[in-house]
Amino acid sequence: MRQLALVTIITAALVARTGVPRAAADMPDWAYAIPQPPPAPAGAAAAPDTSTKTLPGSTLSFTRQQISDGFGPADWFPGDHPAMPDVVAHGKRPDVRACGLCHYPNGKGRQENAGVAGLPVSYFIQTMNDFKNGVRKSAESRKTNTNLMIAYAKAMTPEEIKQAADYFGAMPWTPWVRVVETDTVPKMVSRGGIWVPVDGSQKEPIGTRIVETPEDPERTEILRDPRSGFIAYAPVGSVKKGEALVRGGGGRTVDCATCHGTDLKGLGPVPGIAGRSPSYLARQMYDMQVGARRGEWADLMKPVVARLTNDDLVSIVAYVSSLMPAPRVDGKK
């Protein structure tokens, strides 16, 4: 409670110092990665792939149908994590898919959703209740997995939410995203909210955006490999610019370490942000900025992000995501 009171004081002081912006940043479309509608099918539909798939380092094998089974998805590396609660491993028919399907059994998640490993238990529970109570939404109405999370939260019992929170909170966040500064990036297409390179070697200017993409698209998109992470392409110089904003505020925000801890690994009930998905972090800041995401935590963050531009969002998440996370010093969840 003391930390929450401190955050409240800090954000109130920030509002008094910086005022309220006239308009929010332009929506960072790059962070939402909404796919284009699929083309109309030509001819007969292809037969489903029923072949058995394998992954390096795993002794198991699964079909694509088993890999993406919403009520019992593939667990390639059972030794990488504790025993999963039933709601994580299997969900709850018919309304709740297994948490491990989208967030992986190790909680690392993917570009289109959240990495939930290492989140404080109290924060996890509060955000699920925010989904349940209708105060956490997406600024992008086509972000379908946010709408699914709202439905799942409403269908889960408090005990099931607590089980998932305890499970994911017990696993530390470890390196998952590799930030690379560049002037050009491969031409990308969104598949289900994940940017993947189009065929060929086409390049395009990066502009003012982060382009987050799997290290190995097949292992992420098709096989859902929980050991295969992401590359985040960022504009040249953005990491340094982001460090100045994150560590000093640049006159437009507040030092992130004040609440998230010196190394941005979290502090008490405040979650760690170091080394997490830049797409996810940018989405949350923008959702809070425009009021799509509300609730206790979002209301405290809103004045912190109120004056940030799209360029600021790019720089901040480039820097924060470039940090290599380590275990929390206070040992709290």
Side-chain angles (χ1 to χ4, degrees), residues 11-203:
T11 53
L14 181 69
V15 171
R17 186 170 76 247
T18 61
V20 178
R22 295 181 179 178
D26 293 334
M27 177 176 281
D29 295 330
W30 51 268
Y32 293 87
I34 302 300
Q36 294 295 316
D49 179 2
T50 58
S51 62
T52 300
K53 310 295 183 183
T54 59
L55 268 183
S58 176
T59 60
L60 304 174
S61 61
F62 301 96
T63 65
R64 288 191 64 175
Q65 290 71 32
Q66 291 172 319
I67 291 168
S68 58
D69 182 355
F71 300 100
D75 182 6
W76 290 104
F77 304 104
D80 283 5
H81 56 81
M84 289 186 282
D86 198 53
V87 72
V88 175
H90 302 106
K92 183 171 67 175
R93 293 182 185 273
D95 300 317
V96 182
R97 294 180 190 172
C99 306
L101 172 65
C102 298
H103 300 285
Y104 291 162
N106 62 6
K108 302 292 278 188
R110 310 197 307 180
Q111 173 190 344
E112 81 274 26
N113 55 50
V116 292
L119 290 181
V121 170
S122 60
Y123 175 83
F124 186 109
I125 292 172
Q126 181 62 54
T127 56
M128 289 296 288
N129 287 333
D130 288 344
F131 279 126
K132 179 180 292 191
N133 296 328
V135 295
R136 180 168 177 174
K137 300 177 182 179
S138 175
E140 172 53 84
S141 60
R142 295 172 295 173
K143 194 78 175 65
T144 55
N145 57 347
T146 302
N147 298 327
L148 288 172
M149 279 302 304
I150 293 170
Y152 298 158
K154 289 180 178 180
M156 291 172 69
T157 66
E159 182 177 356
E160 289 166 338
I161 291 174
K162 178 67 161 55
Q163 288 172 351
D166 286 337
Y167 172 77
F168 288 120
M171 291 181 287
W173 185 256
T174 54
W176 188 235
V177 180
R178 179 168 61 94
V179 175
V180 176
E181 291 193 340
T182 181
D183 289 320
T184 60
V185 292
K187 193 171 181 62
M188 301 278 182
V189 62
S190 173
R191 293 181 184 158
I194 297 177
W195 292 117
V196 295
V198 299
D199 295 335
S201 57
Q202 300 178 63
K203 295 273 190 176

